[in-house]
Amino acid sequence: MTVLITGANRGIGHGLFEHYSQLHGNVIGTSRSGAAPYVRLEVSDPASQFALASKLDGAPIDLLICNAGVYQDKGETLEAGYPSDMWANTFAANVAGVFHTMQALLPNLRNSDNARIAIIPSQMASQTNANGGSYIYRASKAASLNLGRNLAVDLGRDGIAVGVYHPGWVVTDMGGNGADIQVSDAVDGLTARFEELSLATTGCFLNWDGSAQSY
């Protein structure tokens, strides 16, 4: 099985990269810099995605994990914050970045006998878990959730399953030290969810522990 993980150099992505590397050697992790052992991918730049696809040259990808993302609007104020370039940069990474990664690697996914795509947004994508603040991040993650569920419909015709997963509130640079769970907990739960993903469950939105996440 070949696994490709975006944003694999830190946080949850790094934990997933280490997990799959220990299981088998056919794991591709990406980072912005492309410093070893990762390959270069800037998810907000479509040219970078197609350059990666060119390097892979049609090699099958069995599991694409769209993990890379940004959270730039922590601490922004409603009165004077949330500048337009922050909106554009966040959506370029968190929404268009997921789509263009999938689009560039679609031939690789179609060359797999059992291709799956896992998109990792957040419970902050949920319309029912609306606690205010972080408007840009919340909106981008809601958009990536919508993207994943619609991709599940269209890619299902190709036999490609798509799942959307909340990784939990994890102790990382993004999640902070006061988060609920460790990276190892998130990785154990998420990898179990990815293993369960199939055409029968495509379009799901689940928590890392397997419980249903509200939309």
Side-chain angles (χ1 to χ4, degrees), residues 166-191:
H166 167 53
W169 185 18
V170 186
V171 177
T172 61
D173 290 344
M174 183 181 289
N177 293 328
D180 292 334
I181 63 173
Q182 299 296 320
V183 169
S184 58
D185 300 315
V187 168
D188 288 345
L190 288 171
T191 52

Side-chain angles (χ1 to χ4, degrees), residues 27-198:
V27 182
I28 303 164
T30 78
S31 71
R32 284 176 171 170
S33 69
Y38 310 109
V39 297
R40 186 180 183 280
L41 177 63
E42 171 53 72
V43 295
S44 61
D45 178 11
S48 180
Q49 278 130 342
F50 283 98
L52 173 60
S54 179
K55 289 180 182 179
L56 295 175
D57 194 27
I61 293 175
D62 304 297
L63 176 59
L64 170 61
I65 303 174
C66 296
N67 165 76
V70 298
Y71 185 179
Q72 298 181 337
D73 58 327
K74 284 183 180 180
E76 292 291 306
T77 64
L78 187 60
E79 295 77 13
Y82 305 100
S84 58
D85 60 342
M86 189 178 289
W87 282 92
N89 293 339
T90 300
F91 270 73
N94 293 357
V95 187
V98 173
F99 180 83
H100 287 134
T101 298
M102 175 283 305
Q103 186 178 53
L105 299 177
L106 189 54
N108 306 79
L109 292 161
R110 284 173 170 162
N111 284 339
S112 167
D113 293 329
N114 183 30
R116 291 161 290 156
I117 300 173
I119 300 172
I120 304 180
S122 165
Q123 66 179 0
M124 292 171 75
S126 170
Q127 297 183 55
T128 57
N129 293 332
N131 300 316
S134 298
Y135 297 104
I136 301 175
Y137 183 75
R138 290 180 186 277
S140 72
K141 291 304 184 179
S144 68
L145 167 59
N146 182 278
L147 174 64
R149 287 178 59 78
N150 281 283
L151 284 174
V153 174
D154 290 332
L155 294 179
R157 303 183 185 110
D158 288 331
I160 300 172
V162 182
V164 184
Y165 303 94
H166 167 53
W169 185 18
V170 186
V171 177
T172 61
D173 290 344
M174 183 181 289
N177 293 328
D180 292 334
I181 63 173
Q182 299 296 320
V183 169
S184 58
D185 300 315
V187 168
D188 288 345
L190 288 171
T191 52
R193 305 290 78 76
F194 302 161
E195 190 67 25
E196 297 166 353
L197 180 59
S198 69

